[in-house]
Amino acid sequence: MKRLFLSVFVGLVALFMPQDLKACTGITLHNSAGLPVTARTIEWAGNDLNSRYTIVPRNYRQRSYTPDGAPNGMSFTAKYGYVGLAVQQSEFVVEGINEAGLAAGLFYFPDYGMYEPFDKAKAEKTVSDLQLVSYILGRCRTIDDVKAAIRDIHVVTIDPRGSTVHWRFTEEGGRQVVLEFIDREPRFYENKLGVLTNSPSFDWHLTNLNNYVNLKTGRVSKQEIGNMQLSSFGGGSGLLGIPGDMTPPSRFVRAAFFQSAAPRLATTEKTIEQAFHILNNFDIPAGIQFEKGQDVPDIPSATQWTVATDLKHRRIYYRTMHNATIRCFDLTDINFANVKYQSFPLDKEKSQPIEVIKVR
């Protein structure tokens, strides 16, 4: 039954969901001591992803799915325990952190990536793109470990009709890389900026930032035109002209400027709160990605959840479209040698608690 569900789900998504329904925005902040916090959104306008959290203990063994629609790919065992956020199925972890302080996340990357084709003869060394985060979190401590691990495997899509993805990996000290498969070959980029969205490729986004060299924080100075004096209407006018649409290039530019303007706060906890506030600017309202007259799915937001991760203190925080209360997993409180594998919905109830203030 599980195998049938996987095949039907992935097939329907690939056949009927247009590419512009998917979006993700990632940023990286640092506190005053230089400790990193990664944060990101995940968007899907087509339906509720029924997202889950998954706790994976050390020595937990799982097997990758392949385009055959069955878990007949590489079998891998977790050296490190980790906490991950998954979509649709507990195996499909798309964001998480392990007990060694390595964070990993999957971002959609349609039309520009290309994996190698699935070869059944190489199935024992094949990992699906939707399970690569799990593979890396269970195996790796550092970016160098990630690079070595990728050299040893073949990454494929579960359904060739679906979108390709790319990944962001960050180690405890703050070093971060982006992994993309271009022309069937893995390509790593050092991500010193700390921002990631979707297509086109990461290096294109960095080049595109030069189109906005005129933007700056603060207020634009007054100037005279003829006998008329011009002045800005309000603070932040130095960013006049920053792109405001929801396409990946525009979100990348906004994220880069908003992130760079953020002050470094005293603690990682305050930095976590700051990350959620910044990412409020990237919430995608349900409906705007559909043509007029199209049916809009009955979900509160296309931004289904937002997550922020404190790598030094091994904490991962999240909130959802159903409940904006920030919830946290502290990995230092989890005994990954003894904890059982478990997976539960991100929301016990899909509703936002509202406090009624009594006036006497």
Side-chain angles (χ1 to χ4, degrees):
M1 179 63 70
K2 190 172 186 179
R3 189 175 303 177
L4 175 62
F5 168 76
L6 173 73
S7 178
V8 171
F9 166 72
V10 176
L12 287 175
V13 168
L15 283 174
F16 300 117
M17 301 307 294
Q19 300 288 13
D20 60 357
L21 299 183
K22 310 167 187 174
C24 317
T25 301
I27 60 173
T28 307
L29 302 177
H30 296 81
N31 70 3
S32 58
L35 299 179
V37 164
T38 61
R40 56 90 56 90
T41 65
I42 188 165
E43 279 80 26
W44 178 260
N47 59 282
D48 191 330
L49 287 170
N50 296 308
S51 299
R52 313 176 63 82
Y53 67 82
T54 300
I55 312 294
V56 179
R58 292 179 212 146
N59 300 315
Y60 181 78
R61 183 173 176 268
Q62 58 183 295
R63 193 157 195 165
S64 177
Y65 286 93
T66 73
D68 289 342
N72 59 353
M74 184 175 182
S75 176
F76 51 95
T77 302
K79 176 181 178 181
Y80 302 107
Y82 60 91
V83 175
L85 274 60
V87 295
Q88 294 292 353
Q89 295 186 200
S90 60
E91 297 95 334
F92 298 160
V93 172
V94 297
E95 183 72 27
I97 180 174
N98 68 16
E99 59 180 319
L102 182 76
L106 173 156
F107 292 65
Y108 284 109
F109 185 50
D111 302 327
Y112 286 83
M114 180 184 294
Y115 309 128
E116 62 181 285
F118 174 56
D119 183 347
K120 290 186 178 182
K122 301 176 181 177
E124 290 298 322
K125 284 286 189 178
T126 295
V127 177
S128 75
D129 54 357
L130 289 175
Q131 290 168 275
L132 186 64
V133 168
S134 293
Y135 174 73
I136 292 297
L137 289 179
R139 177 185 178 94
C140 301
R141 174 183 291 271
T142 67
I143 298 299
D144 289 339
D145 291 344
V146 173
K147 291 184 175 182
I150 294 299
R151 286 195 296 267
D152 291 339
I153 62 173
H154 305 278
V155 177
V156 302
T157 182
I158 296 177
D159 190 321
R161 298 164 295 182
S163 168
T164 52
V165 299
H166 56 184
W167 296 264
R168 178 175 73 167
F169 304 105
T170 312
E171 62 186 27
E172 179 184 330
R175 183 187 177 193
Q176 184 177 119
V177 296
V178 172
L179 168 63
E180 297 176 347
F181 281 83
I182 307 294
D183 296 328
R184 301 178 178 177
E185 294 292 332
R187 186 175 300 177
F188 283 95
Y189 304 91
E190 293 288 331
N191 189 0
K192 296 180 180 180
L193 181 63
V195 173
L196 186 62
T197 57
N198 313 106
S199 300
S201 60
F202 178 69
D203 57 343
W204 183 95
H205 284 290
L206 294 181
T207 301
N208 183 54
L209 281 176
N210 289 283
N211 283 318
Y212 302 91
V213 67
N214 60 298
L215 299 182
K216 62 177 184 178
T217 57
R219 183 189 292 263
V220 173
S221 302
K222 295 180 180 180
Q223 64 168 307
E224 292 185 357
I225 295 182
N227 60 358
M228 182 178 179
Q229 187 176 77
L230 303 180
S231 61
S232 65
F233 288 116
S237 55
L239 292 177
L240 188 64
I242 197 169
D245 61 81
M246 298 301 182
T247 62
S250 295
R251 286 185 285 106
F252 192 100
V253 172
R254 289 204 307 282
F257 278 95
F258 294 170
Q259 172 187 292
S260 67
R264 292 199 172 195
L265 303 178
T267 67
T268 48
E269 190 169 84
K270 289 184 180 296
T271 306
I272 290 287
E273 294 175 5
Q274 182 183 50
F276 279 108
H277 283 299
I278 290 174
L279 288 176
N280 283 339
N281 294 276
F282 298 90
D283 279 356
I284 298 181
I288 70 168
Q289 292 174 301
F290 293 85
E291 300 286 344
K292 186 176 181 179
Q294 281 186 294
D295 291 332
V296 179
D298 184 19
I299 55 177
S301 172
T303 301
Q304 301 213 7
W305 44 263
T306 303
V307 60
T309 304
D310 174 356
L311 288 86
K312 176 65 176 179
H313 300 103
R314 312 291 197 268
R315 291 180 175 179
I316 184 167
Y317 302 73
Y318 75 90
R319 69 181 182 202
T320 74
M321 64 177 173
H322 298 293
N323 185 347
T325 301
I326 296 173
R327 286 147 279 178
C328 174
F329 291 99
D330 186 338
L331 274 68
T332 63
D333 285 342
I334 302 173
N335 185 340
F336 286 103
N338 295 323
V339 71
K340 301 296 185 183
Y341 178 92
Q342 53 196 276
S343 183
F344 295 98
L346 292 186
D347 296 299
K348 292 181 180 178
E349 295 183 8
K350 293 183 176 181
S351 63
Q352 173 66 53
I354 297 176
E355 179 184 358
V356 177
I357 299 174
K358 300 288 187 180
V359 178
R360 298 184 183 275

